[in-house]
Amino acid sequence: MVGLIAGLAEAGIDLSAADSVVGTSAGSVVGALLRTGVAPADMLARQVDPEMQSAEVFAAVDLDDMAARFGAAMADASTPEQVRAAIGAMALATETVPESVRRAVLSSRLPEQVWPERLRVTAVDAISGELAVFDRTCPHALVDVVAASCAVPGIWPPVTLGERRYIDGGVRTALNADLVAGADVVLVLAPLGVVGSGPLSAGLDDALPLLAPASVHAVVPDADSVVAMGNNPLDPATRAPAARAGRAQAAAEVDAVGQLWTA
């Protein structure tokens, strides 16, 4: 996402001019960078320059094991909220690094931490399974809300905000694109694709009827970006190659995004 934004900026397309930015999971980090005024070139440098890279904690992700644990957690759930609550219960029961360690990681990713205007960040209540959407009017620090949105169940700890604990906003859908219903133009950056409905899937197909008659364009990784991201989306070693691949892919998106952005 960062590489794509930087490449588009080099071509004269400024995504920071959007009227509204909704960020989910890793998208909450990118949205915060974009909205707090970090220049796209600096965003890219923080990904590819070892001296500027944020401190990270490696997470080994076994996708088959994760799918099995999610499946077991959701076995008796019948509504979307119950499914999300079951995933939240699994996350609360899993031993991970302390919240403070994870907060330090997210803090290092955000050079500016004052809540900006026109940014919304999603998370899911780990107990109720309800979606929560935070903005600058909330009483919580930006870094804590972003950490909540990035709290992958079973990998990172649920994040405490006030008296509640929250997990990754992607447990609702990876994109939560329905939150921009009413916009005239919608650009979706979808590093994990746009296919699928329900928890941990893109949810874009379900959102499209709510976005009509908006002009919608979704950018998904090309073949080189898929290779660069690798099989473990949480491996810090992939951030530089993924950012470079996204920047290269931007050249193929300039016309489509440019037409959308000037519509």
Side-chain angles (χ1 to χ4, degrees), residues 171-249:
V171 173
R172 188 203 184 218
T173 74
L175 300 176
N176 292 303
D178 58 304
L179 296 180
V180 295
D184 295 323
V185 168
V186 177
L187 176 63
V188 180
L189 304 186
L192 300 182
V194 295
V195 178
S197 300
L200 306 177
S201 298
L204 185 59
D205 287 346
D206 293 335
L208 284 176
L210 302 175
L211 301 179
S215 296
V216 181
H217 179 66
V219 181
V220 300
D222 61 13
D224 289 341
S225 292
V226 169
V227 171
M229 289 191 294
N231 295 323
N232 180 358
L234 302 183
D235 183 356
T238 67
R239 58 185 166 186
R244 293 189 180 100
R247 181 188 180 202
Q249 183 181 344

Side-chain angles (χ1 to χ4, degrees), residues 69-70 84-103 106 122-129 134 143-169 171:
R69 283 193 290 157
F70 275 44
R84 297 194 289 267
I87 295 173
M90 180 272 287
L92 290 167
T94 302
E95 184 176 348
T96 66
V97 301
E99 281 189 61
S100 59
V101 170
R102 184 63 177 154
R103 188 186 195 276
L106 272 300
T122 67
V124 168
D125 188 303
I127 300 296
S128 69
F134 300 96
V143 64
D144 291 320
V145 172
V146 170
S149 190
C150 294
V152 181
I155 302 296
W156 304 125
V159 171
T160 303
L161 299 176
E163 298 181 352
R164 312 295 295 178
R165 298 191 76 189
Y166 293 88
I167 56 176
D168 199 304
V171 173

Side-chain angles (χ1 to χ4, degrees), residues 21 43 50 54 58 65 84 103 105 109 123 142 154 190 203 215 251:
V21 173
M43 291 167 61
S54 56
F58 176 80
D65 175 67
R84 297 194 289 267
R103 188 186 195 276
V105 169
R109 291 184 189 176
L142 175 63
S215 296

